[in-house]
mmCIF file of all heavy atoms in Angstrom:
data_model
loop_
_atom_site.group_PDB
_atom_site.id
_atom_site.type_symbol
_atom_site.label_atom_id
_atom_site.label_comp_id
_atom_site.label_asym_id
_atom_site.label_seq_id
_atom_site.Cartn_x
_atom_site.Cartn_y
_atom_site.Cartn_z
ATOM 1 N N ARG D 177 24.055 0.344 -10.081
ATOM 2 C CA ARG D 177 25.255 0.546 -10.872
ATOM 3 C C ARG D 177 26.401 0.732 -9.882
ATOM 4 O O ARG D 177 26.178 1.217 -8.767
ATOM 5 C CB ARG D 177 25.079 1.807 -11.720
ATOM 6 C CG ARG D 177 25.428 1.649 -13.174
ATOM 7 C CD ARG D 177 24.942 2.809 -13.985
ATOM 8 N NE ARG D 177 25.315 4.099 -13.385
ATOM 9 C CZ ARG D 177 24.837 5.265 -13.818
ATOM 10 N NH1 ARG D 177 23.999 5.315 -14.828
ATOM 11 N NH2 ARG D 177 25.205 6.389 -13.224
ATOM 12 N N GLU D 180 26.760 4.080 -8.313
ATOM 13 C CA GLU D 180 25.703 4.342 -7.320
ATOM 14 C C GLU D 180 26.044 3.646 -5.995
ATOM 15 O O GLU D 180 25.871 4.210 -4.916
ATOM 16 C CB GLU D 180 24.354 3.820 -7.824
ATOM 17 C CG GLU D 180 23.831 4.516 -9.073
ATOM 18 C CD GLU D 180 22.562 3.862 -9.625
ATOM 19 O OE1 GLU D 180 22.408 2.624 -9.517
ATOM 20 O OE2 GLU D 180 21.733 4.602 -10.174
ATOM 21 N N TRP D 211 18.082 8.340 -2.386
ATOM 22 C CA TRP D 211 17.545 9.098 -3.519
ATOM 23 C C TRP D 211 16.717 8.222 -4.447
ATOM 24 O O TRP D 211 16.235 8.667 -5.471
ATOM 25 C CB TRP D 211 18.678 9.797 -4.293
ATOM 26 C CG TRP D 211 19.576 8.908 -5.112
ATOM 27 C CD1 TRP D 211 19.414 8.561 -6.422
ATOM 28 C CD2 TRP D 211 20.790 8.262 -4.683
ATOM 29 N NE1 TRP D 211 20.435 7.747 -6.837
ATOM 30 C CE2 TRP D 211 21.297 7.552 -5.794
ATOM 31 C CE3 TRP D 211 21.497 8.215 -3.474
ATOM 32 C CZ2 TRP D 211 22.487 6.805 -5.726
ATOM 33 C CZ3 TRP D 211 22.674 7.478 -3.411
ATOM 34 C CH2 TRP D 211 23.148 6.793 -4.522
ATOM 35 N N LYS D 212 16.554 6.959 -4.098
ATOM 36 C CA LYS D 212 15.745 6.043 -4.901
ATOM 37 C C LYS D 212 14.500 5.629 -4.119
ATOM 38 O O LYS D 212 14.468 5.738 -2.902
ATOM 39 C CB LYS D 212 16.564 4.797 -5.252
ATOM 40 C CG LYS D 212 17.705 5.083 -6.233
ATOM 41 C CD LYS D 212 18.524 3.845 -6.507
ATOM 42 C CE LYS D 212 19.651 4.130 -7.478
ATOM 43 N NZ LYS D 212 19.220 4.277 -8.884
ATOM 44 N N TYR D 213 13.496 5.147 -4.838
ATOM 45 C CA TYR D 213 12.285 4.661 -4.176
ATOM 46 C C TYR D 213 12.655 3.511 -3.241
ATOM 47 O O TYR D 213 13.584 2.748 -3.488
ATOM 48 C CB TYR D 213 11.243 4.240 -5.201
ATOM 49 C CG TYR D 213 10.699 5.423 -5.981
ATOM 50 C CD1 TYR D 213 10.825 5.504 -7.356
ATOM 51 C CD2 TYR D 213 10.097 6.489 -5.305
ATOM 52 C CE1 TYR D 213 10.346 6.600 -8.067
ATOM 53 C CE2 TYR D 213 9.620 7.590 -5.993
ATOM 54 C CZ TYR D 213 9.743 7.650 -7.377
ATOM 55 O OH TYR D 213 9.288 8.745 -8.058
ATOM 56 N N SER D 241 6.682 -2.233 -16.673
ATOM 57 C CA SER D 241 6.190 -0.926 -17.105
ATOM 58 C C SER D 241 6.054 0.050 -15.938
ATOM 59 O O SER D 241 5.936 1.250 -16.130
ATOM 60 C CB SER D 241 4.839 -1.095 -17.785
ATOM 61 O OG SER D 241 3.933 -1.700 -16.887
ATOM 62 N N GLU D 242 6.052 -0.464 -14.709
ATOM 63 C CA GLU D 242 5.840 0.406 -13.555
ATOM 64 C C GLU D 242 7.111 0.661 -12.750
ATOM 65 O O GLU D 242 7.230 1.687 -12.079
ATOM 66 C CB GLU D 242 4.767 -0.194 -12.636
ATOM 67 C CG GLU D 242 3.395 -0.268 -13.301
ATOM 68 C CD GLU D 242 2.283 -0.677 -12.343
ATOM 69 O OE1 GLU D 242 2.562 -0.971 -11.171
ATOM 70 O OE2 GLU D 242 1.122 -0.695 -12.785
ATOM 71 N N TYR D 243 8.043 -0.288 -12.789
ATOM 72 C CA TYR D 243 9.232 -0.172 -11.942
ATOM 73 C C TYR D 243 10.499 -0.437 -12.758
ATOM 74 O O TYR D 243 10.723 -1.551 -13.216
ATOM 75 C CB TYR D 243 9.149 -1.158 -10.766
ATOM 76 C CG TYR D 243 7.826 -1.089 -10.047
ATOM 77 C CD1 TYR D 243 6.833 -2.038 -10.294
ATOM 78 C CD2 TYR D 243 7.551 -0.049 -9.163
ATOM 79 C CE1 TYR D 243 5.607 -1.965 -9.658
ATOM 80 C CE2 TYR D 243 6.318 0.035 -8.529
ATOM 81 C CZ TYR D 243 5.353 -0.931 -8.788
ATOM 82 O OH TYR D 243 4.136 -0.853 -8.166
ATOM 83 N N GLY D 244 11.308 0.607 -12.921
ATOM 84 C CA GLY D 244 12.524 0.478 -13.702
ATOM 85 C C GLY D 244 13.707 0.077 -12.846
ATOM 86 O O GLY D 244 13.612 -0.022 -11.623
ATOM 87 N N PHE D 245 14.849 -0.146 -13.518
ATOM 88 C CA PHE D 245 16.071 -0.504 -12.792
ATOM 89 C C PHE D 245 16.522 0.666 -11.926
ATOM 90 O O PHE D 245 16.946 0.480 -10.789
ATOM 91 C CB PHE D 245 17.180 -0.885 -13.776
ATOM 92 C CG PHE D 245 18.513 -1.131 -13.105
ATOM 93 C CD1 PHE D 245 18.770 -2.334 -12.462
ATOM 94 C CD2 PHE D 245 19.514 -0.159 -13.112
ATOM 95 C CE1 PHE D 245 19.985 -2.561 -11.820
ATOM 96 C CE2 PHE D 245 20.738 -0.384 -12.486
ATOM 97 C CZ PHE D 245 20.971 -1.581 -11.838
ATOM 98 N N TYR D 246 16.439 1.879 -12.437
ATOM 99 C CA TYR D 246 16.988 3.027 -11.697
ATOM 100 C C TYR D 246 16.061 3.447 -10.561
ATOM 101 O O TYR D 246 16.497 3.594 -9.429
ATOM 102 C CB TYR D 246 17.278 4.182 -12.658
ATOM 103 C CG TYR D 246 18.511 3.883 -13.488
ATOM 104 C CD1 TYR D 246 18.412 3.307 -14.746
ATOM 105 C CD2 TYR D 246 19.775 4.118 -12.960
ATOM 106 C CE1 TYR D 246 19.544 2.985 -15.477
ATOM 107 C CE2 TYR D 246 20.914 3.806 -13.679
ATOM 108 C CZ TYR D 246 20.791 3.242 -14.944
ATOM 109 O OH TYR D 246 21.910 2.920 -15.650
ATOM 110 N N SER D 247 14.771 3.660 -10.880
ATOM 111 C CA SER D 247 13.797 4.024 -9.850
ATOM 112 C C SER D 247 14.277 5.152 -8.942
ATOM 113 O O SER D 247 14.156 5.080 -7.709
ATOM 114 C CB SER D 247 13.410 2.798 -9.031
ATOM 115 O OG SER D 247 12.621 1.943 -9.819
ATOM 116 N N ASN D 248 14.867 6.179 -9.563
ATOM 117 C CA ASN D 248 15.227 7.362 -8.790
ATOM 118 C C ASN D 248 13.959 8.135 -8.458
ATOM 119 O O ASN D 248 13.037 8.214 -9.265
ATOM 120 C CB ASN D 248 16.159 8.264 -9.604
ATOM 121 C CG ASN D 248 17.507 7.617 -9.857
ATOM 122 O OD1 ASN D 248 18.106 7.036 -8.946
ATOM 123 N ND2 ASN D 248 17.984 7.688 -11.082
ATOM 124 N N VAL D 249 13.923 8.714 -7.267
ATOM 125 C CA VAL D 249 12.781 9.539 -6.893
ATOM 126 C C VAL D 249 12.742 10.739 -7.840
ATOM 127 O O VAL D 249 13.726 11.460 -7.981
ATOM 128 C CB VAL D 249 12.889 10.019 -5.424
ATOM 129 C CG1 VAL D 249 11.736 10.962 -5.095
ATOM 130 C CG2 VAL D 249 12.900 8.828 -4.476
ATOM 131 N N ASN D 250 11.606 10.881 -8.532
ATOM 132 C CA ASN D 250 11.514 11.928 -9.539
ATOM 133 C C ASN D 250 10.074 12.433 -9.624
ATOM 134 O O ASN D 250 9.204 11.751 -10.157
ATOM 135 C CB ASN D 250 11.973 11.379 -10.899
ATOM 136 C CG ASN D 250 12.082 12.460 -11.953
ATOM 137 O OD1 ASN D 250 11.487 13.536 -11.823
ATOM 138 N ND2 ASN D 250 12.837 12.181 -13.007
ATOM 139 N N PRO D 251 9.839 13.636 -9.091
ATOM 140 C CA PRO D 251 8.454 14.145 -9.073
ATOM 141 C C PRO D 251 7.895 14.407 -10.470
ATOM 142 O O PRO D 251 6.676 14.543 -10.629
ATOM 143 C CB PRO D 251 8.570 15.456 -8.277
ATOM 144 C CG PRO D 251 10.007 15.832 -8.320
ATOM 145 C CD PRO D 251 10.788 14.557 -8.455
ATOM 146 N N GLN D 252 8.774 14.456 -11.482
ATOM 147 C CA GLN D 252 8.285 14.752 -12.833
ATOM 148 C C GLN D 252 7.875 13.497 -13.608
ATOM 149 O O GLN D 252 7.223 13.601 -14.646
ATOM 150 C CB GLN D 252 9.364 15.494 -13.630
ATOM 151 C CG GLN D 252 9.408 16.978 -13.320
ATOM 152 C CD GLN D 252 10.812 17.416 -12.965
ATOM 153 O OE1 GLN D 252 11.774 17.053 -13.640
ATOM 154 N NE2 GLN D 252 10.938 18.169 -11.883
ATOM 155 N N VAL D 253 8.301 12.347 -13.144
ATOM 156 C CA VAL D 253 7.949 11.119 -13.857
ATOM 157 C C VAL D 253 6.955 10.336 -13.005
ATOM 158 O O VAL D 253 7.309 9.771 -11.967
ATOM 159 C CB VAL D 253 9.209 10.268 -14.155
ATOM 160 C CG1 VAL D 253 8.817 8.979 -14.857
ATOM 161 C CG2 VAL D 253 10.185 11.055 -15.017
ATOM 162 N N ASP D 254 5.693 10.320 -13.445
ATOM 163 C CA ASP D 254 4.641 9.653 -12.688
ATOM 164 C C ASP D 254 4.751 8.146 -12.763
ATOM 165 O O ASP D 254 5.226 7.595 -13.751
ATOM 166 C CB ASP D 254 3.261 10.056 -13.227
ATOM 167 C CG ASP D 254 2.859 11.436 -12.750
ATOM 168 O OD1 ASP D 254 3.593 12.015 -11.923
ATOM 169 O OD2 ASP D 254 1.825 11.930 -13.219
ATOM 170 N N HIS D 255 4.313 7.494 -11.715
ATOM 171 C CA HIS D 255 4.022 6.064 -11.786
ATOM 172 C C HIS D 255 2.789 5.947 -12.689
ATOM 173 O O HIS D 255 1.930 6.833 -12.674
ATOM 174 C CB HIS D 255 3.710 5.563 -10.373
ATOM 175 C CG HIS D 255 3.505 4.085 -10.289
ATOM 176 N ND1 HIS D 255 2.327 3.487 -10.665
ATOM 177 C CD2 HIS D 255 4.306 3.081 -9.890
ATOM 178 C CE1 HIS D 255 2.434 2.184 -10.491
ATOM 179 N NE2 HIS D 255 3.632 1.908 -10.011
ATOM 180 N N GLN D 260 3.698 11.101 -8.879
ATOM 181 C CA GLN D 260 4.822 11.099 -7.936
ATOM 182 C C GLN D 260 5.193 12.517 -7.523
ATOM 183 O O GLN D 260 6.225 12.738 -6.892
ATOM 184 C CB GLN D 260 6.051 10.391 -8.550
ATOM 185 C CG GLN D 260 5.864 8.917 -8.860
ATOM 186 C CD GLN D 260 5.772 8.037 -7.616
ATOM 187 O OE1 GLN D 260 5.360 8.479 -6.538
ATOM 188 N NE2 GLN D 260 6.129 6.767 -7.755
ATOM 189 N N LEU D 278 10.673 15.930 -3.683
ATOM 190 C CA LEU D 278 11.854 16.619 -4.191
ATOM 191 C C LEU D 278 12.595 15.746 -5.206
ATOM 192 O O LEU D 278 12.583 14.516 -5.110
ATOM 193 C CB LEU D 278 12.805 16.957 -3.043
ATOM 194 C CG LEU D 278 12.196 17.796 -1.915
ATOM 195 C CD1 LEU D 278 13.149 17.874 -0.733
ATOM 196 C CD2 LEU D 278 11.836 19.191 -2.413
ATOM 197 N N MET D 279 13.224 16.394 -6.181
ATOM 198 C CA MET D 279 14.029 15.658 -7.172
ATOM 199 C C MET D 279 15.102 14.862 -6.436
ATOM 200 O O MET D 279 15.762 15.381 -5.533
ATOM 201 C CB MET D 279 14.664 16.669 -8.144
ATOM 202 C CG MET D 279 15.370 16.022 -9.315
ATOM 203 S SD MET D 279 14.179 15.110 -10.340
ATOM 204 C CE MET D 279 15.241 13.959 -11.194
ATOM 205 N N PHE D 280 15.274 13.623 -6.822
ATOM 206 C CA PHE D 280 16.195 12.707 -6.141
ATOM 207 C C PHE D 280 15.958 12.727 -4.633
ATOM 208 O O PHE D 280 16.897 12.605 -3.839
ATOM 209 C CB PHE D 280 17.658 13.037 -6.468
ATOM 210 C CG PHE D 280 18.025 12.804 -7.915
ATOM 211 C CD1 PHE D 280 18.353 13.880 -8.740
ATOM 212 C CD2 PHE D 280 18.036 11.525 -8.449
ATOM 213 C CE1 PHE D 280 18.689 13.669 -10.076
ATOM 214 C CE2 PHE D 280 18.378 11.312 -9.785
ATOM 215 C CZ PHE D 280 18.702 12.389 -10.604
ATOM 216 N N ASN D 281 14.705 12.901 -4.252
ATOM 217 C CA ASN D 281 14.304 12.885 -2.850
ATOM 218 C C ASN D 281 15.070 13.915 -2.010
ATOM 219 O O ASN D 281 15.294 13.707 -0.813
ATOM 220 C CB ASN D 281 14.499 11.472 -2.267
ATOM 221 C CG ASN D 281 13.605 11.215 -1.062
ATOM 222 O OD1 ASN D 281 12.585 11.865 -0.880
ATOM 223 N ND2 ASN D 281 14.016 10.267 -0.235
ATOM 224 N N GLU D 284 19.535 15.931 -4.772
ATOM 225 C CA GLU D 284 19.905 16.269 -6.150
ATOM 226 C C GLU D 284 21.354 16.751 -6.245
ATOM 227 O O GLU D 284 22.099 16.331 -7.134
ATOM 228 C CB GLU D 284 18.952 17.359 -6.678
ATOM 229 C CG GLU D 284 19.158 17.658 -8.154
ATOM 230 C CD GLU D 284 18.065 18.551 -8.739
ATOM 231 O OE1 GLU D 284 17.287 19.136 -7.956
ATOM 232 O OE2 GLU D 284 18.007 18.665 -9.968
ATOM 233 N N VAL D 287 23.699 13.684 -6.050
ATOM 234 C CA VAL D 287 23.669 12.538 -6.970
ATOM 235 C C VAL D 287 23.320 12.870 -8.420
ATOM 236 O O VAL D 287 23.456 12.001 -9.291
ATOM 237 C CB VAL D 287 22.698 11.430 -6.475
ATOM 238 C CG1 VAL D 287 23.108 10.950 -5.094
ATOM 239 C CG2 VAL D 287 21.263 11.897 -6.504
ATOM 240 N N ALA D 288 22.895 14.104 -8.710
ATOM 241 C CA ALA D 288 22.470 14.404 -10.083
ATOM 242 C C ALA D 288 23.576 14.082 -11.081
ATOM 243 O O ALA D 288 23.309 13.628 -12.197
ATOM 244 C CB ALA D 288 22.051 15.866 -10.188
ATOM 245 N N GLY D 289 24.823 14.274 -10.670
ATOM 246 C CA GLY D 289 25.961 14.019 -11.548
ATOM 247 C C GLY D 289 26.040 12.589 -12.058
ATOM 248 O O GLY D 289 26.560 12.331 -13.146
ATOM 249 N N LEU D 290 25.507 11.658 -11.271
ATOM 250 C CA LEU D 290 25.563 10.245 -11.678
ATOM 251 C C LEU D 290 24.745 9.993 -12.941
ATOM 252 O O LEU D 290 24.947 8.987 -13.619
ATOM 253 C CB LEU D 290 25.003 9.350 -10.559
ATOM 254 C CG LEU D 290 25.743 9.271 -9.223
ATOM 255 C CD1 LEU D 290 24.912 8.498 -8.215
ATOM 256 C CD2 LEU D 290 27.096 8.624 -9.403
ATOM 257 N N TYR D 291 23.788 10.878 -13.204
ATOM 258 C CA TYR D 291 22.841 10.613 -14.296
ATOM 259 C C TYR D 291 22.920 11.674 -15.385
ATOM 260 O O TYR D 291 21.982 11.817 -16.168
ATOM 261 C CB TYR D 291 21.411 10.509 -13.720
ATOM 262 C CG TYR D 291 21.370 9.565 -12.547
ATOM 263 C CD1 TYR D 291 21.320 10.039 -11.244
ATOM 264 C CD2 TYR D 291 21.452 8.188 -12.751
ATOM 265 C CE1 TYR D 291 21.325 9.165 -10.164
ATOM 266 C CE2 TYR D 291 21.460 7.311 -11.678
ATOM 267 C CZ TYR D 291 21.401 7.804 -10.390
ATOM 268 O OH TYR D 291 21.414 6.934 -9.331
ATOM 269 N N GLU D 292 24.015 12.382 -15.438
ATOM 270 C CA GLU D 292 24.168 13.432 -16.431
ATOM 271 C C GLU D 292 24.010 12.871 -17.838
ATOM 272 O O GLU D 292 24.588 11.839 -18.170
ATOM 273 C CB GLU D 292 25.544 14.084 -16.292
ATOM 274 C CG GLU D 292 25.463 15.583 -16.138
ATOM 275 C CD GLU D 292 26.773 16.141 -15.592
ATOM 276 O OE1 GLU D 292 27.831 15.725 -16.110
ATOM 277 O OE2 GLU D 292 26.711 16.951 -14.665
ATOM 278 N N GLY D 293 23.203 13.552 -18.639
ATOM 279 C CA GLY D 293 23.015 13.124 -20.022
ATOM 280 C C GLY D 293 22.041 11.974 -20.202
ATOM 281 O O GLY D 293 21.782 11.545 -21.318
ATOM 282 N N MET D 294 21.521 11.457 -19.092
ATOM 283 C CA MET D 294 20.564 10.350 -19.214
ATOM 284 C C MET D 294 19.138 10.891 -19.265
ATOM 285 O O MET D 294 18.813 11.828 -18.545
ATOM 286 C CB MET D 294 20.683 9.404 -18.012
ATOM 287 C CG MET D 294 21.762 8.375 -18.157
ATOM 288 S SD MET D 294 21.947 7.415 -16.637
ATOM 289 C CE MET D 294 20.435 6.461 -16.642
ATOM 290 N N ASP D 295 18.303 10.290 -20.110
ATOM 291 C CA ASP D 295 16.893 10.660 -20.156
ATOM 292 C C ASP D 295 16.177 9.923 -19.018
ATOM 293 O O ASP D 295 15.930 8.724 -19.102
ATOM 294 C CB ASP D 295 16.301 10.272 -21.517
ATOM 295 C CG ASP D 295 14.822 10.637 -21.620
ATOM 296 O OD1 ASP D 295 14.258 11.126 -20.609
ATOM 297 O OD2 ASP D 295 14.249 10.438 -22.701
ATOM 298 N N LEU D 296 15.855 10.671 -17.973
ATOM 299 C CA LEU D 296 15.309 10.023 -16.777
ATOM 300 C C LEU D 296 13.870 9.557 -16.968
ATOM 301 O O LEU D 296 13.330 8.827 -16.133
ATOM 302 C CB LEU D 296 15.423 10.958 -15.571
ATOM 303 C CG LEU D 296 16.866 11.285 -15.171
ATOM 304 C CD1 LEU D 296 16.902 12.287 -14.035
ATOM 305 C CD2 LEU D 296 17.649 10.031 -14.794
ATOM 306 N N ARG D 297 13.236 9.975 -18.068
ATOM 307 C CA ARG D 297 11.915 9.438 -18.393
ATOM 308 C C ARG D 297 12.039 8.032 -18.968
ATOM 309 O O ARG D 297 11.203 7.164 -18.745
ATOM 310 C CB ARG D 297 11.214 10.325 -19.419
ATOM 311 C CG ARG D 297 10.526 11.471 -18.786
ATOM 312 C CD ARG D 297 9.830 12.395 -19.742
ATOM 313 N NE ARG D 297 9.482 13.569 -18.979
ATOM 314 C CZ ARG D 297 8.457 13.633 -18.124
ATOM 315 N NH1 ARG D 297 7.662 12.589 -17.977
ATOM 316 N NH2 ARG D 297 8.228 14.706 -17.424
ATOM 317 N N LYS D 298 13.124 7.874 -19.725
ATOM 318 C CA LYS D 298 13.360 6.572 -20.340
ATOM 319 C C LYS D 298 13.945 5.607 -19.304
ATOM 320 O O LYS D 298 13.524 4.459 -19.209
ATOM 321 C CB LYS D 298 14.329 6.759 -21.522
ATOM 322 C CG LYS D 298 14.354 5.602 -22.470
ATOM 323 C CD LYS D 298 15.198 5.913 -23.717
ATOM 324 C CE LYS D 298 15.677 4.619 -24.328
ATOM 325 N NZ LYS D 298 17.052 4.717 -24.847
ATOM 326 N N PHE D 299 14.921 6.098 -18.550
ATOM 327 C CA PHE D 299 15.538 5.259 -17.519
ATOM 328 C C PHE D 299 14.882 5.561 -16.175
ATOM 329 O O PHE D 299 15.495 6.155 -15.296
ATOM 330 C CB PHE D 299 17.049 5.492 -17.472
ATOM 331 C CG PHE D 299 17.747 5.122 -18.744
ATOM 332 C CD1 PHE D 299 18.087 6.087 -19.680
ATOM 333 C CD2 PHE D 299 18.052 3.793 -19.014
ATOM 334 C CE1 PHE D 299 18.725 5.741 -20.868
ATOM 335 C CE2 PHE D 299 18.689 3.436 -20.202
ATOM 336 C CZ PHE D 299 19.013 4.413 -21.124
ATOM 337 N N TYR D 300 13.593 5.180 -16.042
ATOM 338 C CA TYR D 300 12.863 5.474 -14.818
ATOM 339 C C TYR D 300 13.154 4.432 -13.746
ATOM 340 O O TYR D 300 13.762 3.421 -13.996
ATOM 341 C CB TYR D 300 11.351 5.545 -15.090
ATOM 342 C CG TYR D 300 10.775 4.314 -15.749
ATOM 343 C CD1 TYR D 300 10.262 3.263 -15.011
ATOM 344 C CD2 TYR D 300 10.756 4.204 -17.139
ATOM 345 C CE1 TYR D 300 9.742 2.134 -15.610
ATOM 346 C CE2 TYR D 300 10.233 3.079 -17.752
ATOM 347 C CZ TYR D 300 9.737 2.057 -16.986
ATOM 348 O OH TYR D 300 9.231 0.932 -17.593
#
Side-chain angles (χ1 to χ4, degrees):
Chain D
R177 228 167 49 190
E180 296 174 327
W211 72 91
K212 291 178 180 285
Y213 292 120
S241 58
E242 296 188 357
Y243 311 100
F245 174 79
Y246 286 94
S247 289
N248 294 315
V249 176
N250 188 340
Q252 279 128 46
V253 178
D254 283 354
H255 185 281
Q260 296 290 27
L278 303 171
M279 187 64 202
F280 294 113
N281 204 22
E284 187 170 13
V287 302
L290 295 172
Y291 310 103
E292 234 163 46
M294 276 174 70
D295 180 357
L296 296 176
R297 276 179 192 283
K298 197 173 156 218
F299 298 99
Y300 55 91

